[in-house]
Amino acid sequence: MPRSINTIGIISVMMTILWSCESAKDQYRRLAETYFYPTTDGPMIYIYQDSLDPIYEMFERIVPVYDPLGKHLLVERYNSNFVLLESFDLLADKDYQVFNHVLYTQDQQIIANITDSTYMPWNGSGKFSSSFPSTVDSIMFTLANERSLNNDSGKFPWKGQELTTRSFTDSITTTAIDLKNKREKVLKTVAIHEFAEGIGRVRIKTADGKSNLVLKSIITERDWNTLRTK
């Protein structure tokens, strides 16, 4: 009888653990579906404007992609001159883990080596890190982003509505390594990323108060092409 009770107890504990894990996964899916970029049939472009410097804009092109690996979400970032700076290939079926990270500079594509692949840690905190060479042979860069989900929620005005938001704090460390002279230069920044229900990212502001990029509009690929050729 004691052995039987012990066995039942172990099974009960195991079932509780499994239920907790499944609940965490379900919570992640609900949060991702609610606050992450919505899945669309075609690319959508997000236009952000710096409220502290209205001349400056940033663009994100969100593209759903399907291949043998499953469903992807490609996030491309452009500066105010429509120059592609960076792209993230996220695996939707694997909690939007980073599958590929590419940087663009001087007409070159630099594929980064990914060490940690968490892009959206809806269940608390996570880390994304990668390394990549520079245009100078002896210089290597490393990027480490510690992203944590904040407990607070807020509101974002959008088309006559007040959308609920969740925010993340990014602690970013960028290191330039001079392999030849064995020297390093480290830059640390902190930024808040705000995501709204049904839309995705709506605000990016730096903790030092020098930048506050706010979502201005979302346009189609056709409108994007027209905007770029003006």
Side-chain angles (χ1 to χ4, degrees):
M1 180 66 68
R3 180 176 298 177
S4 176
I5 292 174
N6 188 47
T7 301
I8 293 173
I10 292 173
I11 293 174
S12 177
V13 170
M14 291 178 65
M15 290 300 292
T16 300
I17 293 173
L18 289 172
W19 181 84
S20 298
C21 291
E22 188 62 31
S23 295
K25 289 179 180 179
D26 289 343
Q27 182 183 27
Y28 175 92
R29 292 190 186 99
R30 285 196 300 271
L31 284 168
E33 290 172 357
T34 302
Y35 293 97
F36 205 50
Y37 301 105
T39 300
T40 59
D41 294 330
M44 298 298 291
I45 292 77
Y46 288 54
I47 302 177
Y48 300 88
Q49 186 176 48
D50 194 337
S51 65
L52 305 178
D53 182 10
I55 295 177
Y56 181 77
E57 292 181 324
M58 185 192 78
F59 306 93
E60 280 192 338
R61 182 171 175 262
I62 312 300
V63 188
V65 178
Y66 298 86
D67 66 14
L69 290 177
K71 175 184 168 185
H72 299 243
L73 203 61
L74 186 64
V75 180
E76 297 178 342
R77 294 179 182 169
Y78 296 77
N79 66 13
S80 54
N81 294 318
F82 308 108
V83 176
L84 178 59
L85 303 176
E86 183 179 27
S87 67
F88 291 89
D89 184 355
L90 311 177
L91 293 175
D93 297 332
K94 293 187 177 180
D95 297 337
Y96 295 104
Q97 295 291 306
V98 180
F99 175 68
N100 208 3
H101 179 211
V102 182
L103 297 104
Y104 303 84
T105 177
Q106 298 181 358
D107 298 324
Q108 296 183 32
Q109 293 187 24
I110 302 173
I111 300 176
N113 178 43
I114 299 170
T115 308
D116 301 289
S117 60
T118 300
Y119 188 82
M120 295 302 297
W122 294 110
N123 57 343
S125 61
K127 183 178 181 180
F128 169 75
S129 59
S130 66
S131 60
F132 46 93
S134 73
T135 54
V136 180
D137 291 341
S138 62
I139 304 296
M140 174 72 70
F141 287 99
T142 64
L143 171 69
N145 183 10
E146 301 272 358
R147 175 170 284 180
S148 57
L149 175 64
N150 299 323
N151 292 325
D152 60 330
S153 62
K155 295 292 183 180
F156 183 79
W158 184 255
K159 295 183 178 180
Q161 303 179 62
E162 291 286 328
L163 303 181
T164 302
T165 63
R166 297 296 301 272
S167 65
F168 293 84
T169 297
D170 282 15
S171 299
I172 307 164
T173 302
T174 306
T175 306
I177 305 170
D178 186 336
L179 300 174
K180 183 178 180 180
N181 298 308
K182 308 298 181 182
R183 292 184 298 182
E184 293 184 357
K185 185 175 182 180
V186 179
L187 174 64
K188 294 188 176 183
T189 57
V190 177
I192 307 298
H193 294 251
E194 197 172 349
F195 288 75
E197 55 179 329
I199 293 181
R201 194 193 326 258
V202 294
R203 188 190 305 272
I204 308 166
K205 60 181 178 180
T206 55
D208 60 12
K210 293 182 178 180
S211 177
N212 182 37
L213 288 162
V214 181
L215 183 65
K216 176 182 174 182
S217 60
I218 301 175
I219 62 175
T220 64
E221 181 82 345
R222 181 178 179 179
D223 291 336
W224 167 244
N225 292 331
T226 300
L227 185 63
R228 296 174 69 186
T229 54
K230 282 185 177 180

